[in-house]
């Protein structure tokens, strides 16, 4: 009897101890994914990636938008937000950078909230262009002319589709939607907007070409203006990771609990991200990383790990296709170390014999 109660006490002690010791090490995204790595594992891998790539000098800031050329190219921040609302950040996490093309994901999502996926597919499409993100040739060559919602032409067309009585009302709808995905109020970086608005003749040309093919659904220049504003929204790396985590969590913001994006729309959005999220770099990205992601010329990239969370990295220097060099390296490193590649059976826990 005495022995029995000693055993019981020992068992209770072990249970209490493991609960307290393992609490801070709980698995990231564990609520929804049985194979999520532990927080300690993720922290260690993110730290390794940060140290390994912080002095990487590859790439060059975008300069076709004058403001972006002046941003400190050494800025470097990483954030992970999980579907069970854990947050892990490292480096320059307070800096607010322009979201640029990453905005296109959330305008696509907003258009789908209003019209559903099939209408957006019909009006804009979902095919790779095999050309630069701002290509005029793609508009002229492709049967759909718009390509997909992530090249500039398709993104301007998507913005034109979103309904509103005035351009200001449309802009307010877009900003509100992005803010709900980020879990806090986002604002325009006015200098970025002014800098891009003064130099965006190429996008204006694209909008006129879309008009020629009847693939723009509101006033062309007004649509370019709202598009330019959406690209100039400021985000820090944690806000960006939370926007990604909202997608990872079936459209529900894991921090606020709000269902921002209809769950049934999420797979369509992720399909565009894997196919065109890094423009001409998308095939290589799918090959090496295997995660839906989106880049912006501001230096941000967000990658979504469905059911688990999202990782966002900010580092301004870009490669030839317009994707942040360091951000790609960090995400590839973390995804490979933690078995996040969606095309690998290991991502759902299958290990080789
Ligand atoms: O329209 C543009 O060119 C920019 N506002 C956005 C382009 C962009 O971010 C492409 N990214 N990789």
């Amino acid at each position: 009897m005495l022995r029995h109660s000693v055993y019981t006490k020992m068992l209770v002690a072990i249970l209490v101890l493991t609960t307290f010791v393992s609490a801070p090490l709980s698995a990231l995204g564990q609520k929804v994914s049985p194979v999520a790595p532990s927080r300690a594992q993720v922290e260690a891998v993110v730290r390794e990636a940060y140290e390994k790539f912080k002095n990487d000098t590859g790439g060059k800031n975008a300069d076709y938008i004058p403001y972006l050329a002046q941003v400190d190219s050494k800025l470097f921040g990483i954030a992970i937000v999980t579907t069970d609302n854990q947050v892990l950040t490292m480096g320059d996490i307070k800096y607010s950078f322009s979201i640029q093309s990453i905005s296109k994901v959330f305008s696509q999502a907003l258009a789908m909230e209003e019209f559903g996926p099939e209408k957006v597919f019909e009006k804009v499409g979902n095919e790779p262009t095999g050309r630069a993100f701002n290509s005029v040739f793609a508009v002229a060559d492709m049967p759909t002319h718009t390509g997909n919602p992530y090249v500039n032409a398709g993104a301007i067309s998507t913005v034109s589709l979103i309904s509103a009585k005035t351009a200001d009302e449309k802009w307010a709808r877009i900003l509100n939607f992005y803010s709900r995905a980020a879990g806090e109020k986002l604002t325009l970086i006015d200098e970025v907007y002014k800098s891009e608005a003064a130099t965006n003749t190429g996008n204006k040309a694209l909008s006129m070409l879309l008009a020629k093919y009847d693939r723009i659904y509101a006033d062309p220049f007004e649509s370019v203006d709202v598009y330019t504003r959406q690209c100039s929204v400021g985000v820090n790396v944690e806000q960006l990771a939370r926007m990604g985590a909202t997608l990872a969590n079936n459209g529900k913001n894991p921090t606020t609990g709000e269902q921002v994006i209809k769950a049934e729309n999420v797979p369509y959005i992720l399909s565009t991200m894997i196919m065109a999220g890094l423009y001409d770099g998308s095939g290589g990205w799918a090959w090496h990383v295997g995660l839906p992601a989106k880049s912006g010329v501001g230096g941000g990239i967000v990658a979504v790990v469905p059911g688990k969370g999202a990782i966002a990295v900010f580092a301004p220097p870009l490669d030839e296709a317009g994707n942040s060099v360091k951000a790609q390296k960090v995400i590839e490193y973390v995804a490979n170390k933690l078995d996040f590649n969606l095309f690998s059976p290991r991502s759902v826990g299958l290990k080789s014999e």
Side-chain angles (χ1 to χ4, degrees):
M1 194 63 204
L2 181 70
R3 232 164 152 205
H4 184 250
S5 80
V6 169
Y7 280 139
T8 313
K9 274 186 192 149
M10 272 168 67
L11 203 66
V12 169
I14 288 168
L15 268 175
V16 168
L17 212 70
T18 48
T19 310
F20 279 104
V21 171
S22 67
L25 303 179
S26 64
L28 288 165
Q30 186 66 69
K31 255 191 206 161
V32 279
S33 172
V35 293
S38 73
R39 187 179 172 98
Q41 266 175 296
V42 178
E43 253 169 21
V45 170
V46 170
R47 166 75 52 202
E48 273 164 37
Y50 183 81
E51 295 300 332
K52 191 170 163 68
F53 300 116
K54 72 173 182 216
N55 296 320
D56 189 298
T57 54
K60 191 170 156 294
N61 283 28
D63 56 10
Y64 74 99
I65 299 170
Y67 177 97
L68 297 179
Q70 296 157 21
V71 173
D72 180 357
S73 54
K74 290 198 193 64
L75 286 164
F76 181 31
I78 307 178
I80 289 182
V81 175
T82 69
T83 49
D84 59 354
N85 197 30
Q86 296 190 58
V87 180
L88 203 153
T89 52
M90 213 163 282
D92 297 307
I93 54 172
K94 296 271 178 259
Y95 187 85
S96 203
F97 52 96
S98 57
I99 189 167
Q100 295 297 343
S101 278
I102 306 167
S103 66
K104 294 167 178 172
V105 174
F106 296 90
S107 288
Q108 173 195 28
L110 179 56
M112 279 163 64
E113 287 299 299
E114 189 176 352
F115 300 107
E118 285 318 312
K119 179 104 184 253
V120 174
F121 183 74
E122 178 203 319
K123 296 280 187 190
V124 184
N126 197 42
E127 300 302 335
T129 65
R131 305 265 195 177
F133 63 81
N134 50 7
S135 174
V136 176
F137 301 107
V139 181
D141 284 353
M142 292 188 83
T144 63
H145 307 291
T146 34
N148 64 68
Y150 300 167
V151 288
N152 289 7
I156 295 165
S157 174
T158 306
V159 168
S160 76
L161 199 57
I162 296 166
S163 58
K165 286 198 194 72
T166 61
D168 281 343
E169 185 190 313
K170 187 178 296 201
W171 162 237
R173 278 194 71 195
I174 290 174
L175 187 61
N176 176 265
F177 189 72
Y178 292 7
S179 299
R180 286 161 57 210
E184 49 196 299
K185 202 172 165 346
L186 300 177
T187 52
L188 182 90
I189 307 177
D190 205 42
E191 294 118 294
V192 176
Y193 169 65
K194 289 201 176 105
S195 181
E196 184 163 346
T199 51
N200 64 356
T201 46
N203 285 337
K204 287 183 182 144
L206 287 174
S207 75
M208 292 314 287
L209 207 50
L210 289 170
K212 168 180 151 77
Y213 295 114
D214 282 333
R215 295 291 277 177
I216 193 154
Y217 312 105
D219 180 81
F221 283 5
E222 203 171 88
S223 303
V224 171
D225 183 56
V226 177
Y227 163 83
T228 307
R229 289 191 236 180
Q230 78 170 38
C231 290
S232 309
V233 168
V235 283
N236 63 40
V237 80
E238 183 182 329
Q239 289 165 334
L240 184 58
R242 187 164 290 104
M243 293 173 92
T246 298
L247 286 164
N249 197 33
N250 253 344
K252 189 183 204 170
N253 184 317
T255 308
T256 64
E258 186 192 353
Q259 189 74 44
V260 181
I261 299 167
K262 287 193 187 103
E264 63 264 31
N265 291 346
V266 170
Y268 299 102
I269 299 165
L270 299 184
S271 85
T272 317
M273 290 176 85
I274 197 88
M275 181 204 62
L278 272 77
Y279 306 106
D280 296 4
S282 300
W285 177 262
W287 184 280
H288 292 111
V289 186
L291 285 178
K294 186 73 203 80
S295 64
V297 290
I301 299 186
V302 62
V304 176
V305 192
K308 294 179 189 166
I311 173 166
V313 181
F314 165 62
L318 312 176
D319 67 11
E320 291 292 310
N323 303 314
S324 166
V325 172
K326 258 190 238 174
Q328 289 178 81
K329 288 184 178 171
V330 168
I331 299 171
E332 178 174 354
Y333 184 88
V334 172
N336 285 339
K337 286 267 175 178
L338 298 175
D339 282 342
F340 283 158
N341 187 327
L342 292 187
F343 303 125
S344 164
R346 287 200 310 273
S347 71
V348 288
L350 277 189
K351 302 279 177 207
S352 36
E353 299 287 297

